[in-house]
PDB file of all heavy atoms in Angstrom:
ATOM      1  N   THR A 113     -18.933   5.919   2.440  1.00 97.00           N
ATOM      2  CA  THR A 113     -19.858   5.738   3.554  1.00 97.00           C
ATOM      3  C   THR A 113     -19.050   5.621   4.835  1.00 97.00           C
ATOM      4  O   THR A 113     -18.028   4.937   4.860  1.00 97.00           O
ATOM      5  CB  THR A 113     -20.688   4.443   3.368  1.00 97.00           C
ATOM      6  OG1 THR A 113     -21.493   4.569   2.205  1.00 97.00           O
ATOM      7  CG2 THR A 113     -21.572   4.158   4.573  1.00 97.00           C
ATOM      8  N   GLY A 118     -18.476   2.609  12.282  1.00 97.00           N
ATOM      9  CA  GLY A 118     -17.241   3.374  12.145  1.00 97.00           C
ATOM     10  C   GLY A 118     -16.425   2.979  10.927  1.00 97.00           C
ATOM     11  O   GLY A 118     -15.510   3.699  10.534  1.00 97.00           O
ATOM     12  N   ALA A 119     -16.742   1.829  10.323  1.00 98.00           N
ATOM     13  CA  ALA A 119     -16.015   1.402   9.126  1.00 98.00           C
ATOM     14  C   ALA A 119     -16.262   2.405   7.998  1.00 98.00           C
ATOM     15  O   ALA A 119     -17.389   2.836   7.768  1.00 98.00           O
ATOM     16  CB  ALA A 119     -16.478   0.011   8.696  1.00 98.00           C
ATOM     17  N   VAL A 120     -15.190   2.774   7.314  1.00 98.00           N
ATOM     18  CA  VAL A 120     -15.299   3.682   6.177  1.00 98.00           C
ATOM     19  C   VAL A 120     -15.149   2.847   4.915  1.00 98.00           C
ATOM     20  O   VAL A 120     -14.210   2.063   4.772  1.00 98.00           O
ATOM     21  CB  VAL A 120     -14.229   4.795   6.221  1.00 98.00           C
ATOM     22  CG1 VAL A 120     -14.404   5.763   5.053  1.00 98.00           C
ATOM     23  CG2 VAL A 120     -14.275   5.539   7.547  1.00 98.00           C
ATOM     24  N   ILE A 121     -16.100   3.017   4.014  1.00 97.00           N
ATOM     25  CA  ILE A 121     -16.122   2.280   2.754  1.00 97.00           C
ATOM     26  C   ILE A 121     -16.075   3.288   1.625  1.00 97.00           C
ATOM     27  O   ILE A 121     -16.856   4.248   1.600  1.00 97.00           O
ATOM     28  CB  ILE A 121     -17.390   1.420   2.638  1.00 97.00           C
ATOM     29  CG1 ILE A 121     -17.457   0.447   3.808  1.00 97.00           C
ATOM     30  CG2 ILE A 121     -17.442   0.704   1.293  1.00 97.00           C
ATOM     31  CD1 ILE A 121     -18.848  -0.006   4.142  1.00 97.00           C
ATOM     32  N   PHE A 132     -11.647   1.889   3.623  1.00 97.00           N
ATOM     33  CA  PHE A 132     -11.010   3.206   3.637  1.00 97.00           C
ATOM     34  C   PHE A 132     -10.787   3.644   5.080  1.00 97.00           C
ATOM     35  O   PHE A 132     -10.985   4.779   5.446  1.00 97.00           O
ATOM     36  CB  PHE A 132     -11.902   4.190   2.863  1.00 97.00           C
ATOM     37  CG  PHE A 132     -11.218   5.417   2.333  1.00 97.00           C
ATOM     38  CD1 PHE A 132     -10.033   5.354   1.625  1.00 97.00           C
ATOM     39  CD2 PHE A 132     -11.795   6.669   2.533  1.00 97.00           C
ATOM     40  CE1 PHE A 132      -9.430   6.494   1.119  1.00 97.00           C
ATOM     41  CE2 PHE A 132     -11.204   7.822   2.040  1.00 97.00           C
ATOM     42  CZ  PHE A 132     -10.010   7.731   1.328  1.00 97.00           C
ATOM     43  N   GLY A 133     -10.418   2.680   5.923  1.00 97.00           N
ATOM     44  CA  GLY A 133     -10.122   2.981   7.320  1.00 97.00           C
ATOM     45  C   GLY A 133     -11.326   2.787   8.219  1.00 97.00           C
ATOM     46  O   GLY A 133     -12.360   2.245   7.822  1.00 97.00           O
ATOM     47  N   TRP A 135     -13.379   4.783  11.797  1.00 98.00           N
ATOM     48  CA  TRP A 135     -13.533   5.849  12.792  1.00 98.00           C
ATOM     49  C   TRP A 135     -13.880   5.234  14.136  1.00 98.00           C
ATOM     50  O   TRP A 135     -14.658   4.281  14.214  1.00 98.00           O
ATOM     51  CB  TRP A 135     -14.669   6.784  12.408  1.00 98.00           C
ATOM     52  CG  TRP A 135     -14.308   7.888  11.474  1.00 98.00           C
ATOM     53  CD1 TRP A 135     -14.530   7.919  10.125  1.00 98.00           C
ATOM     54  CD2 TRP A 135     -13.703   9.135  11.804  1.00 98.00           C
ATOM     55  NE1 TRP A 135     -14.087   9.116   9.611  1.00 98.00           N
ATOM     56  CE2 TRP A 135     -13.576   9.880  10.612  1.00 98.00           C
ATOM     57  CE3 TRP A 135     -13.244   9.698  12.997  1.00 98.00           C
ATOM     58  CZ2 TRP A 135     -13.017  11.148  10.575  1.00 98.00           C
ATOM     59  CZ3 TRP A 135     -12.689  10.962  12.971  1.00 98.00           C
ATOM     60  CH2 TRP A 135     -12.576  11.677  11.768  1.00 98.00           C
TER      61      TRP A 135
END
Side-chain angles (χ1 to χ4, degrees):
T113 296
V120 182
I121 302 155
F132 202 49
W135 274 100

